[in-house]
């Protein structure tokens, strides 16, 4: 699999809000997602579309990824949304509330058509999808293998609404669906992007939720406010001590293999193949996040 760009934090803003779009360029955030869906009011859908087109035409996003979130298939807006933005070449399209492979195929076909017409490399424009309903979770097995996908974004508020769960601070009611998304992503080499912390003034809660998401296996998190960029991006970057430990595992594993030992002890803990694989993942994530990691194959 080709290596995916780092998406530790994915920042949304309403697509009609020019001020927030320009502000987002100054934040050093991995991904910027200009929203036509739930962040844009019903009477602002067209304004959002036009403002996003202007942003794609005029603004320099620097190292940040420029994404657009269109309205869901079946909303009635999706065709006009995607047709408006594709000629202006966003880095990727976010399709929300995905429940079937056909919905991804619909968008992927339109993207392929734009790539062909404009002479852009085929498959260069990526898709990220929201899976955030009961049916979406049940159909992950058919959804996740689609070749256009880079990532699955889990929408916690939508999922809670879909199953009638009450949201709590520790989000225990979302655990099954979060782990289902992480598992499907791992099975098909995708990134998994975790829930929004909507209590955006509470940075301690944000840090705790980000660290828990990273422990579950998520590679990044959705955010909605500039103050959330730093805590989230650092929670999804392996710490210096985690990197150093992972390096020691990789190095000692090789010599242990040469000596004919599949399992061995390091600092009083058993190291074997799965521990090595996890260490390699830590190093790959650190590298994707811009850390200097030498001789990583
Ligand atoms: N992206 C970029 N800039 C943002 C931003 C965002 N998501 N949210 C706030 N800002 C900017 C504000 O414009 C303001 O800029 P300024 O200091 O230059 O004037 C600054 O950050 C501080 O904003 P603040 O006053 O703390 O926020 P608020 O109370 O005005 O708005 C929200 C709070 C939650 C309504 C707002 O952050 C928001 O709309 N977030 C995105 C919501 C969204 O897109 N939801 C759909 C996807 S889940
Ligand atoms: Mg949603």
């Amino acid at each position: 699999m080709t290596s995916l760009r780092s998406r530790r934090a994915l920042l949304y803003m309403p697509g009609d809000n020019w001020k927030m779009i320009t502000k987002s360029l100054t934040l050093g955030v991995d991904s910027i997602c200009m929203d036509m869906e739930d962040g844009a009011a019903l009477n602002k859908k067209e304004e959002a579309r036009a403002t996003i087109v202007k942003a794609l035409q005029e603004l320099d996003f620097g190292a940040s990824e420029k994404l657009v979130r269109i309205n869901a298939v079946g909303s009635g807006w999706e065709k006009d949304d995607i047709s408006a933005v594709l000629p202006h070449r966003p880095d990727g399209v976010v399709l929300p509330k995905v429940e079937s492979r056909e919905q991804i195929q619909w968008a992927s076909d339109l993207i392929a058509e734009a790539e062909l017409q404009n002479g852009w490399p085929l498959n260069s424009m990526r898709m990220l999808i929201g899976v955030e309903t009961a049916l979406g979770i049940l159909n992950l097995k058919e959804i996740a293998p689609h070749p256009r996908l880079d990532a699955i974004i889990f929408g916690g508020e939508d999922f809670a609404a879909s199953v009638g769960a009450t949201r709590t601070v520790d989000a225990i009611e979302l655990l099954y669906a979060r782990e289902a998304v992480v598992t499907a992503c791992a099975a098909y080499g995708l990134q998994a992007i975790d829930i929004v912390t909507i209590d955006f003034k509470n940075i301690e809660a944000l840090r705790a939720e980000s660290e828990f998401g990273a422990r579950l296996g998520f590679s990044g998190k959705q955010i909605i406010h500039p103050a959330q960029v730093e805590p989230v991006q650092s929670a999804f970057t392996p710490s210096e001590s985690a990197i150093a430990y992972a390096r020691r595992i990789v190095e000692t594993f090789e010599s242990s293999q040469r000596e004919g030992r599949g399992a061995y002890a390091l600092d009083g803990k058993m190291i074997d193949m799965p521990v090595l694989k996890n260490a390699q993942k830590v190093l790959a994530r650190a590298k994707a996040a811009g850390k200097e990691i030498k001789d990583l194959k």
Side-chain angles (χ1 to χ4, degrees), residues 7 33 35 63 80 114 126 128 132 144 168 207 223 254:
R7 298 187 178 93
C33 185
D35 190 20
D80 289 343
R126 308 305 300 161
L128 296 80
E132 42 197 342
T168 62
R207 280 190 205 281
I223 59 172
E254 258 173 42

Side-chain angles (χ1 to χ4, degrees), residues 120-181:
W120 302 329
L122 204 59
N123 276 323
S124 57
M125 201 183 285
R126 308 305 300 161
M127 273 183 75
L128 296 80
I129 56 166
V131 169
E132 42 197 342
T133 61
L135 194 56
I137 294 293
L138 285 183
N139 289 343
L140 274 170
K141 214 170 151 179
E142 65 161 74
I143 288 171
H146 195 286
R148 177 77 64 175
L149 296 186
D150 267 13
I152 298 181
I153 302 168
F154 177 61
E157 306 310 315
D158 274 303
F159 182 77
S162 166
V163 300
T166 303
R167 288 286 282 110
T168 62
V169 174
D170 61 10
I172 192 77
E173 66 285 355
L174 301 179
L175 192 55
Y176 166 74
R178 278 165 103 187
E179 297 212 275
V181 168

Side-chain angles (χ1 to χ4, degrees), residues 11-14 17 19-21 23-24 27 35 38-39 69 196 200-201 222-226:
L11 173 67
Y12 294 102
M13 74 286 310
N17 195 320
K19 187 165 170 280
M20 285 191 192
I21 295 174
K23 173 108 182 167
S24 72
L27 302 172
D35 190 20
D38 290 344
R69 183 164 78 169
V196 176
F200 65 91
K201 296 225 154 95
Q222 303 166 82
I223 59 172
I224 52 159
H225 192 275

Side-chain angles (χ1 to χ4, degrees), residues 16 37 51 68 90 104 159 224 274:
D16 54 283
E37 202 220 5
T51 308
V68 293
I104 304 172
F159 182 77
I224 52 159

Side-chain angles (χ1 to χ4, degrees), residues 36-243:
M36 292 176 252
E37 202 220 5
D38 290 344
L42 294 179
N43 61 2
K44 292 276 185 180
K45 296 287 184 193
E46 275 158 26
E47 194 179 323
R49 214 180 272 153
T51 308
I52 292 171
V53 165
K54 184 172 143 76
L56 291 171
Q57 284 174 320
E58 295 179 9
L59 300 179
D60 179 0
F61 285 73
S64 298
E65 180 180 38
K66 46 181 169 180
L67 299 173
V68 293
R69 183 164 78 169
I70 66 171
N71 282 283
V73 176
S75 65
W77 287 299
E78 69 277 19
K79 181 75 181 41
D80 289 343
D81 288 347
I82 198 166
S83 305
V85 293
L86 284 182
H88 307 289
R89 204 179 186 184
D91 295 322
V93 173
V94 178
L95 185 63
K97 299 190 178 66
V98 167
E99 297 189 319
S100 72
R101 191 176 169 100
E102 291 71 44
Q103 295 172 342
I104 304 172
Q105 196 58 47
W106 167 80
S108 181
D109 286 347
L110 291 171
I111 293 172
E113 209 177 291
E115 287 169 338
L116 260 174
Q117 275 172 6
N118 292 285
W120 302 329
L122 204 59
N123 276 323
S124 57
M125 201 183 285
R126 308 305 300 161
M127 273 183 75
L128 296 80
I129 56 166
V131 169
E132 42 197 342
T133 61
L135 194 56
I137 294 293
L138 285 183
N139 289 343
L140 274 170
K141 214 170 151 179
E142 65 161 74
I143 288 171
H146 195 286
R148 177 77 64 175
L149 296 186
D150 267 13
I152 298 181
I153 302 168
F154 177 61
E157 306 310 315
D158 274 303
F159 182 77
S162 166
V163 300
T166 303
R167 288 286 282 110
T168 62
V169 174
D170 61 10
I172 192 77
E173 66 285 355
L174 301 179
L175 192 55
Y176 166 74
R178 278 165 103 187
E179 297 212 275
V181 168
V182 163
T183 305
C185 287
Y188 295 102
L190 305 180
Q191 294 167 333
I193 303 181
D194 203 9
I195 56 178
V196 176
T197 303
I198 56 175
D199 184 8
F200 65 91
K201 296 225 154 95
N202 189 343
I203 298 299
E204 278 323 297
L206 175 73
R207 280 190 205 281
E209 197 176 271
S210 303
E211 280 158 19
F212 182 66
R215 284 205 295 276
L216 287 179
F218 281 96
S219 54
K221 188 171 177 69
Q222 303 166 82
I223 59 172
I224 52 159
H225 192 275
Q228 295 184 318
V229 175
E230 187 284 318
V232 168
Q233 293 197 163
S234 67
F236 286 94
T237 306
S239 66
E240 293 303 330
S241 63
I243 294 170

